[in-house]
Amino acid sequence: NSQQQAVASQQLQFDSDAVLGEPSFANIIDLPGTHWRLARVVSTRDGLAGVDYLFSRTLMVIGIGLALSILLIYAGVNWLVLRPLRRMTGELAHAESAEDALHLQFNENADNEIGVLSHWHNERVRQLRELMERTIATNSQLVVESDERRTAQEALVKAQERATLALQAVADGVIMTNERAIVEEVNPMAEQLSGLGHRAARGRSFADVFRARSCDPESGQSTPLANLAELSISCGARLE
């Protein structure tokens, strides 16, 4: 069998075949069970033509396979990536306002980059909605506090006006100070007693506005009371 295979694979080259009249080659094939050998003579040109034909057919098959692969890849990318992206951009484009866009939720079930993109979009939208809700709540609280502050200021102004009217109606001299003995209000009688007007007295110390003196009935001499305001504040009572 090995001898037959060796003979069968034998090939002879001819520079010029007597019958074909051109370069050729011959394949020697043993006929089983006989002593005959079959010689198949083919011109070199026909052999090369066969090779060219086989090569061209191979290239055509490869080209068709590549074209089909590209079409399948494009169809897969279009179905798995481009189509969901077009749907997402279409939904965003049809949102009439930013608030409507923040309520869009995309499908996260896709097991690819589109699913990951949809997940993070939904997560960021949720965080933005929570931030907006907190901002709205904070603004509402600020509005309420502003209204309360304005109401308190108006009530304080009205109370000050009533206190001023009451202070003006008192027949005795009244000087109002803060905890540091700085004059804040004086009534007309206090203006007459101190000799200072309302504007001149405000902001000055109590000792500068009202110079009190203590008189000794036996000697008839008077001494200044420099700490009268401190005594009034510490005692919390009327001093005569």
Side-chain angles (χ1 to χ4, degrees):
N1 291 334
S2 61
Q3 182 69 22
Q4 291 178 354
Q5 291 177 357
V7 175
S9 62
Q10 184 178 1
Q11 188 179 82
L12 300 177
Q13 296 286 341
F14 302 101
D15 294 334
S16 179
D17 185 74
V19 177
L20 298 176
E22 59 181 340
S24 59
F25 62 90
N27 289 324
I28 307 301
I29 303 173
D30 288 337
L31 296 178
T34 64
H35 297 286
W36 292 84
R37 289 182 178 180
L38 179 63
R40 181 174 179 271
V41 180
V42 180
S43 66
T44 304
R45 179 172 52 82
D46 293 339
L48 293 175
V51 173
D52 292 339
Y53 175 78
L54 179 62
F55 182 72
S56 62
R57 289 291 181 178
T58 304
L59 286 179
M60 183 176 65
V61 171
I62 293 174
I64 293 174
L66 288 175
L68 291 176
S69 300
I70 293 173
L71 288 176
L72 290 176
I73 292 173
Y74 173 77
V77 171
N78 182 67
W79 179 262
L80 297 175
V81 179
L82 299 180
R83 183 171 173 269
L85 284 177
R86 284 195 295 268
R87 184 176 64 253
M88 294 167 63
T89 53
E91 292 178 359
L92 290 173
H94 286 85
E96 297 182 356
S97 62
E99 184 176 357
D100 293 339
L102 289 177
H103 286 83
L104 290 176
Q105 292 291 318
F106 295 144
N107 186 12
E108 304 178 8
N109 297 328
D111 190 16
N112 53 23
E113 286 73 9
I114 299 300
V116 175
L117 179 63
S118 300
H119 168 74
W120 285 113
H121 171 271
N122 297 338
E123 183 67 18
R124 293 295 181 265
V125 165
R126 182 187 63 79
Q127 294 175 358
L128 286 174
R129 284 203 305 269
E130 292 179 355
L131 181 60
M132 289 182 61
E133 291 174 358
R134 289 197 298 267
T135 303
I136 292 173
T138 303
N139 290 336
S140 301
Q141 184 66 25
L142 289 175
V143 170
V144 172
E145 293 178 356
S146 178
D147 292 340
E148 292 177 352
R149 188 180 297 107
R150 183 169 55 254
T151 302
Q153 289 177 349
E154 293 175 355
L156 178 61
V157 171
K158 291 180 180 179
Q160 290 177 344
E161 291 177 353
R162 288 194 296 269
T164 301
L165 291 176
L167 186 64
Q168 300 296 328
V170 174
D172 296 332
V174 178
I175 299 176
M176 298 178 61
T177 67
N178 58 17
E179 66 276 5
R180 293 178 299 154
I182 302 300
V183 176
E184 293 182 348
E185 293 290 342
V186 293
N187 68 345
M189 182 58 66
E191 292 179 5
Q192 294 178 9
L193 293 175
S194 63
L196 295 175
H198 180 270
R199 293 183 179 179
R202 289 188 63 180
R204 302 178 65 175
S205 65
F206 179 80
D208 293 339
V209 175
F210 186 74
R211 298 178 175 86
R213 302 180 68 86
S214 175
C215 182
D216 187 359
E218 295 180 359
S219 62
Q221 295 180 353
S222 62
T223 57
L225 295 175
N227 60 342
L228 183 60
E230 288 79 1
L231 290 174
S232 300
I233 294 172
S234 61
C235 294
R238 180 177 178 179
L239 298 179
E240 297 181 355

